[in-house]
């Protein structure tokens, strides 16, 4: 175990200092910063729009009412709408940044419905007129005495949809429902991305040890299993580091910490889903990383190895492509099959868990299968590894590999 | 009887239809330099990889330092034929890492690496990246990489490959001092003069089978033709038992038949020949090697 750790630390430490790793990792935050700077310099309006988006408190609309239907302004709109008697006066207020737009309601409004909106900014940043609908509706229905009818006119229906043939469970309203789907979906994507990123490092690491011929020296000190495990742990951590930097920088730049909290909170309300997603993440990564590292040794160059391992990244992504099926019928036979098959189980289960009451047999079965698969792929992987690492020159065919494996 | 640190019994290894190692048995004694010889593709590297637990034998047994192969990786130093180093990393870093993989703690590995680098006159290169070193320097770094954990048994596959004569001398010196410390060396090499100089016993294999096995002295004696080299001011023309003579500068090579070297010497002394030197002729290991391997391939046909 100590040797596994030595290898893991070495792999992590050597690679984390590589210039290309540092550049690639900082690329995403840098691009974010560049985008932000560009938008600040070249689109003050855009900047203004962002500010307005996040700081809605300062959004005030001047209303010049010539129809009389909006005088006086209803008390609940008083903070965001201010009455102006004269259009010129309202325009001055707009120029002085006291208001963000001016709405002129002509006396022909009732018949024609046309109003004039004067706003700062450009077509690019939007006029901010969408918020006006609520203001207009509220004032128009005010003439109706019946409050219940008013309420219905403003918000005509609240649909309680029941889907036949599916036991969707929604807790915490629409937002909760969306979040409880998005979060595991993101987890699934995170797994696919981690596999993708780390597999690149894994393949490069084994290809380098192979082409520099250092591998046999290493194999005289440690077993192929130890080497494989050390690499998977070290480079898995490396991939995770990269992704965490990306997520953190994206969250920081996008002001998205709130978003992040919004994602994490529902997870803690359904701890079992979160816990299981984590279990599937770790197990899924283990299976894929070992496979990729082992198969990666068979190529004679980095590029060739990467081609061979590309197929596994594709398999990991299959359930993502079937999101539609999983969403509409989380307990369909095809979904259950994908849930049991170790290579698709992690991503499938991540998508499926929050959507339905997954039978415990599926959960237990897929986890047990994954747990059995890992030692199996490590054992088989070590054989392929032993074989591939010391085989120089041409890439063997599938039949040859099977034949050689029996003798390895 | 000296203790054997390594013994192989009836080793067999096949790759598909090709037999790489065919019923091979041998022992390596404590403190000796054991030569593992053979032409290219004879099965030397396969044999060594089985000893190092990099390959598994199809059948047969190996006992290495009292256990199965792979049980005592920490006590064996291995210099493979296919070798290299992490090219982008620094020399000292690589050596320390390889030492740690052998179970030595980081600080000790570093100290030993520095001491060994000094010994092969590379101390100034310890902070350089491996790819900045010349081929010969890299060879020396690889050599010390297999000594970093102070192993009891060294298995060296072609350690002199790519070295100039000065560095060959340096590595030879290092090997001799290791043996004098009581370490055992298994040496696979193609330079027969070096094998003759260094090895106590040898195993010559071809097509996975043992052709010759035993003490180098004994083998050379067995292969020595019945001939002697004599240097004398004047030699009689007709001596009984001599079937051929050849002048090689000041020395004459006599091929004998029916009498031994001892009797021949007595006959010379009797005829009052003034002998300056007299020696039994030996055959260079190189000739034995070539004769055996060619003989083996002819008998196959």
């Amino acid at each position: 175990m100590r040797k596994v750790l030595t290898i893991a630390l070495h792999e992590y430490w050597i690679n984390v200092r590589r210039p290309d790793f540092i550049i690639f990792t900082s690329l995403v935050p840098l691009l974010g910063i560049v985008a932000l700077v560009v938008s600040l310099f070249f689109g003050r309006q855009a900047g203004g729009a962002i500010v307005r988006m996040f700081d809605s408190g300062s959004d005030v609309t001047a209303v010049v009412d010539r129809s009389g239907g909006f005088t006086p302004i209803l008390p609940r709109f008083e903070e965001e709408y201010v009455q102006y008697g004269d259009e010129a006066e309202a325009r001055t207020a707009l120029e002085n940044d006291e208001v963000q737009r001016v709405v002129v309601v002509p006396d022909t409004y009732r018949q024609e419905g046309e109003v004039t909106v004067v706003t700062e900014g450009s077509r690019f940043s939007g006029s901010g007129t969408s918020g006006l609908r609520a203001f207009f509706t509220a004032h128009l229905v005010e003439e109706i005495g019946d409050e219940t009818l008013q309420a219905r006119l403003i918000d005509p229906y609240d649909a309680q949809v029941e889907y036949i043939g599916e036991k969707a469970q929604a807790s915490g309203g629409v937002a909760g429902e969306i979040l409880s789907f998005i979060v595991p979906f993101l987890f699934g994507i995170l797994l696919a991305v981690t596999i993708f990123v780390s597999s690149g490092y894994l393949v490069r690491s084994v290809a380098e040890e192979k082409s520099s011929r250092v591998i046999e020296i290493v194999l005289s000190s440690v077993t192929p299993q130890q080497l494989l495990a050390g690499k998977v742990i070290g480079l898995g951590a490396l991939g995770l580091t990269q992704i965490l930097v990306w997520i953190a920088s994206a969250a920081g730049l996008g002001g998205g910490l709130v978003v992040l909290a919004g994602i994490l909170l529902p997870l803690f309300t359904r701890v079992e889903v979160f816990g299981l997603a984590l279990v599937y993440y770790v197990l899924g990564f283990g299976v894929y990383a070992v496979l990729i590292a082992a198969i990666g040794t068979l190529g004679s160059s980095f590029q060739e190895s990467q081609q061979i391992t590309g197929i596994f990244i594709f398999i990991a992504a299959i359930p993502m492509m079937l999101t539609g099926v999983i969403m509409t019928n989380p307990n369909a036979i095809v979904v259950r099959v994908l849930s049991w098959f170790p290579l698709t189980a992690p991503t499938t289960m991540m998508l499926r868990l929050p959507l339905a009451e997954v039978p415990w047999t599926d959960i237990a079965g897929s986890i047990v299968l994954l747990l059995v698969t890992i030692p199996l792929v490590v054992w088989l992987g070590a054989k392929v590894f032993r074989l591939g690492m010391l085989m120089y020159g041409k890439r063997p065919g599938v039949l040859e590999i099977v034949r050689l494996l029996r003798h390895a | 009887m000296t203790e054997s640190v390594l013994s192989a019994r009836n080793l067999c290894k096949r790759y598909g239809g090709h037999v790489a190692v065919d019923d091979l048995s041998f022992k390596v004694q404590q403190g000796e330099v054991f030569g593992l010889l053979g032409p290219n593709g004879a099965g030397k590297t396969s044999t060594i990889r089985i000893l190092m637990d990099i390959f598994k034998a199809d059948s047969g047994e190996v006992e290495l330092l009292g256990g199965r192969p792979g049980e005592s990786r920490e006590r064996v130093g291995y210099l493979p034929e296919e070798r290299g180093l992490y090219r982008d990393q620094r020399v000292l870093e690589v050596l320390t890492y390889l030492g740690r993989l052998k179970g030595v703690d980081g600080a000790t590995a570093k100290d030993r690496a520095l001491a060994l680098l000094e010994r092969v006159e590379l101390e100034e290169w310890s902070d350089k990246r491996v790819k900045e070193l010349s081929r010969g320097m890299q060879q020396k770094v690889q050599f010390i990489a297999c000594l970093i954990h102070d192993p009891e048994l060294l298995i060296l596959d072609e350690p002199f490959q790519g070295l100039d004569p000065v560095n060959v001398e340096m590595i030879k010196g290092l090997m001799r001092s290791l043996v004098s410390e009581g370490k055992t060396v298994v040496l696979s090499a193609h330079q027969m003069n070096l094998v003759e100089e260094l090895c106590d016993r040898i195993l010559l294999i071809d097509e996975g089978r043992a052709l010759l096995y035993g003490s180098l002295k004994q083998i050379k004696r067995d292969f020595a033709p019945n001939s002697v080299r004599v240097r004398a001011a004047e030699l009689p023309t007709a001596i009984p038992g001599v079937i051929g003579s050849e002048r090689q500068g000041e020395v004459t090579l006599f091929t004998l038949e029916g009498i031994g070297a001892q009797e021949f010497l007595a006959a010379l002394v009797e005829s009052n020949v003034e002998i300056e030197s007299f020696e039994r002729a030996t055959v260079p290991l190189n000739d034995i090697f070539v004769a055996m391997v060619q003989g083996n391939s002819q008998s196959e046909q």
Side-chain angles (χ1 to χ4, degrees):
Chain A
M1 194 58 212
R2 216 182 90 190
K3 286 184 178 177
V4 172
L5 220 63
T6 304
I7 297 167
L9 278 173
H10 178 80
E11 291 287 349
Y12 184 86
W13 185 235
I14 288 298
N15 282 293
V16 90
R17 288 182 306 172
R18 278 180 197 266
D20 51 344
F21 175 82
I22 295 168
I23 292 170
F24 191 48
T25 306
S26 47
L27 208 62
V28 170
L30 278 177
L31 281 178
I33 291 171
V34 168
L36 209 68
V37 167
V38 166
S39 69
L40 284 180
F41 267 104
F42 299 101
R44 271 199 53 199
Q45 304 96 333
I50 292 173
V51 168
R52 272 202 301 285
M53 231 162 65
F54 285 100
D55 189 14
S56 54
S58 70
D59 192 281
V60 179
T61 305
V63 181
V64 182
D65 180 25
R66 293 178 186 142
S67 71
F70 303 89
T71 316
I73 287 172
L74 290 174
R76 61 192 147 110
F77 288 102
E78 269 173 359
E79 268 187 24
E80 291 166 6
Y81 294 85
V82 182
Q83 197 99 48
Y84 278 80
D86 180 35
E87 190 181 333
E89 201 185 321
R91 279 178 184 263
T92 319
L94 179 64
E95 271 164 38
N96 294 342
D97 265 351
E98 287 163 34
V99 297
Q100 275 64 50
R101 70 190 65 75
V102 176
V103 178
V104 183
V105 185
D107 46 11
T108 55
Y109 166 72
R110 280 277 175 129
Q111 290 77 45
E112 291 165 13
E114 202 166 89
V115 297
T116 314
V117 179
V118 187
T119 176
E120 64 179 1
S122 62
R123 277 171 212 285
F124 170 63
S125 62
S127 60
T129 49
S130 54
L132 296 175
R133 171 175 288 275
F135 173 80
F136 275 81
T137 321
H139 286 83
L140 289 171
V141 301
E142 194 59 25
E143 284 178 24
I144 304 166
D146 187 344
E147 273 185 32
T148 342
L149 185 57
Q150 277 181 22
R152 282 295 69 73
L153 279 170
I154 291 171
D155 186 9
Y157 59 87
D158 176 15
Q160 303 293 317
V161 185
E162 186 184 331
Y163 297 97
I164 299 171
E166 164 186 340
K167 288 187 213 154
Q169 49 163 18
S171 56
V174 183
E177 199 177 327
I178 294 173
L179 275 180
S180 66
F181 168 71
I182 285 183
V183 171
F185 188 72
L186 288 178
F187 246 110
I189 291 180
L190 188 69
L191 175 63
V193 173
T194 319
I195 290 170
F196 184 75
V197 171
S198 302
S199 75
Y201 292 119
L202 273 170
V203 170
R204 186 169 75 174
S205 167
V206 293
E208 259 178 23
E209 283 194 350
K210 192 179 166 183
S211 65
S212 71
R213 308 279 202 264
V214 76
I215 185 64
E216 201 168 340
I217 297 180
V218 175
L219 283 183
S220 72
S221 311
V222 299
T223 63
Q225 285 90 337
Q226 286 171 328
L227 185 59
L228 204 55
K231 277 183 186 297
V232 165
I233 295 171
L235 296 170
L238 188 75
L240 203 60
T241 306
Q242 190 161 50
I243 289 157
L244 288 179
V245 169
W246 287 347
I247 292 177
S249 64
L253 284 171
L257 281 175
V258 187
V259 180
L260 211 63
I263 288 173
L264 289 173
L265 277 177
L267 283 180
F268 292 107
T269 60
R270 286 192 68 193
V271 181
E272 76 281 6
V273 171
F274 180 68
L276 281 172
L278 209 65
V279 168
Y280 281 113
Y281 181 86
V282 171
L283 294 180
F285 181 77
V287 169
Y288 272 100
V290 171
L291 269 177
I292 286 170
I295 305 280
T297 59
L298 292 175
S300 59
S301 68
F302 175 48
Q303 285 82 358
E304 202 176 278
S305 299
Q306 221 171 18
Q307 277 169 15
I308 314 177
T309 53
I311 182 81
F312 288 103
I313 293 155
F314 177 74
I315 294 176
I318 286 178
M320 305 305 228
M321 298 171 204
L322 295 174
T323 307
V325 181
I326 298 173
M327 273 177 80
T328 49
N329 199 348
N331 289 336
I333 281 292
V334 59
V335 180
R336 294 192 65 179
V337 169
L338 288 176
S339 304
W340 280 72
F341 182 59
L343 288 183
T344 48
T347 25
T348 311
M349 287 305 258
M350 280 181 192
L351 293 172
R352 198 179 156 199
L353 278 171
L355 289 172
E357 209 62 68
V358 178
W360 70 268
T361 42
D362 283 17
I363 298 179
S366 62
I367 290 183
V368 167
L369 259 184
L370 273 168
L371 284 175
V372 173
T373 308
I374 289 180
L376 196 77
V377 289
V378 168
W379 175 76
L380 200 70
K383 274 192 139 194
V384 176
F385 199 73
R386 194 194 280 265
L387 173 84
M389 275 299 197
L390 298 171
M391 188 169 55
Y392 297 105
K394 69 178 169 56
R395 185 172 98 196
V398 176
L399 279 176
E400 197 180 351
I401 293 173
V402 174
R403 189 170 58 76
L404 288 170
L405 273 180
R406 299 203 347 243
H407 300 288
Chain B
M1 166 126 184
T2 41
E3 200 186 330
S4 80
V5 289
L6 169 62
S7 83
R9 276 185 298 277
N10 312 103
L11 285 189
C12 283
K13 177 78 188 169
R14 250 173 242 98
Y15 304 109
H18 172 69
V19 183
V21 181
D22 190 2
D23 198 27
L24 205 58
S25 301
F26 61 93
K27 276 185 180 172
V28 178
Q29 317 289 0
Q30 158 72 37
E32 72 174 348
V33 179
F34 183 84
L36 182 59
L37 316 177
N40 295 324
K44 300 185 301 276
T45 299
S46 288
T47 305
I48 289 176
R49 282 178 174 170
I50 291 170
L51 301 180
M52 287 311 299
D53 195 38
I54 289 171
F55 285 167
K56 303 261 186 241
D58 296 338
S59 61
E61 281 170 52
V62 175
E63 194 183 307
L64 193 127
L65 297 169
R68 286 208 311 252
E71 281 180 356
S72 38
R73 289 169 200 273
E74 280 80 8
R75 293 158 65 197
V76 184
Y78 175 42
L79 182 71
E81 189 186 7
E82 290 279 4
R83 55 185 177 244
L85 296 163
Y86 298 98
R87 295 179 50 76
D88 288 329
Q89 294 170 32
R90 295 178 199 287
V91 172
L92 190 59
E93 205 172 62
V94 172
L95 288 173
T96 313
Y97 174 55
L98 293 175
R100 290 182 63 198
L101 287 186
K102 285 284 188 190
V104 183
D105 71 90
T108 315
K110 200 170 169 178
D111 289 347
R112 256 192 84 80
L114 283 170
L116 285 164
L117 281 170
E118 203 180 322
R119 181 105 179 244
V120 297
E121 297 165 6
L122 283 179
E123 66 272 28
E124 285 161 24
W125 294 82
S126 65
D127 277 335
K128 294 276 189 298
R129 290 185 196 281
V130 170
K131 61 182 173 194
E132 293 171 52
L133 270 61
S134 73
R135 209 176 123 78
M137 287 177 183
Q138 289 190 27
Q139 291 280 95
K140 289 199 279 183
V141 175
Q142 283 154 2
F143 191 82
I144 51 185
C146 72
L147 300 177
I148 196 89
H149 53 299
D150 199 17
E152 294 162 45
L153 170 66
L154 278 160
I155 298 182
L156 310 172
D157 201 349
E158 295 293 341
F160 303 109
Q161 213 173 45
L163 288 180
D164 65 35
V166 177
N167 283 321
V168 166
E169 282 306 314
M170 182 185 280
I171 297 296
K172 253 163 56 183
L174 205 55
M175 273 173 65
R176 285 206 181 96
S177 73
L178 288 167
V179 172
S180 73
E181 287 168 28
K183 301 193 190 309
T184 310
V185 179
V186 174
L187 171 70
S188 168
H190 277 129
Q191 299 86 345
M192 289 303 140
N193 57 328
L194 292 174
V195 172
E196 246 172 311
E197 238 180 277
L198 291 164
C199 293
D200 304 306
R201 296 191 317 128
I202 62 158
L203 170 68
L204 172 65
I205 60 175
D206 189 24
E207 292 169 347
R209 288 180 154 275
L211 293 186
L212 278 175
Y213 171 54
S215 133
L216 186 58
K217 260 187 210 148
Q218 187 56 50
I219 287 172
K220 289 191 71 166
R221 204 171 295 153
D222 291 347
F223 273 80
N226 195 8
S227 54
V228 292
R229 282 202 180 83
V230 184
R231 192 155 114 162
E234 222 173 288
L235 283 162
T237 45
I239 311 166
V242 172
I243 54 162
S245 68
E246 185 190 337
R247 235 181 131 78
Q248 300 173 333
E250 292 189 0
V251 179
T252 307
L253 178 77
F254 290 100
T255 310
L256 312 177
E257 198 181 75
I259 58 165
Q262 206 65 39
E263 288 170 71
F264 180 66
L265 178 62
L268 287 182
V269 172
E270 214 165 278
S271 343
N272 281 325
V273 177
E274 265 182 55
I275 302 165
E276 286 168 36
S277 75
F278 181 95
E279 62 169 3
R280 284 173 189 270
T282 55
V283 187
L285 184 57
N286 197 56
D287 295 3
I288 301 177
F289 182 100
V290 172
M292 282 305 289
V293 172
Q294 279 176 348
N296 187 45
S297 67
Q298 271 161 16
S299 68
E300 290 274 311
Q301 288 161 6

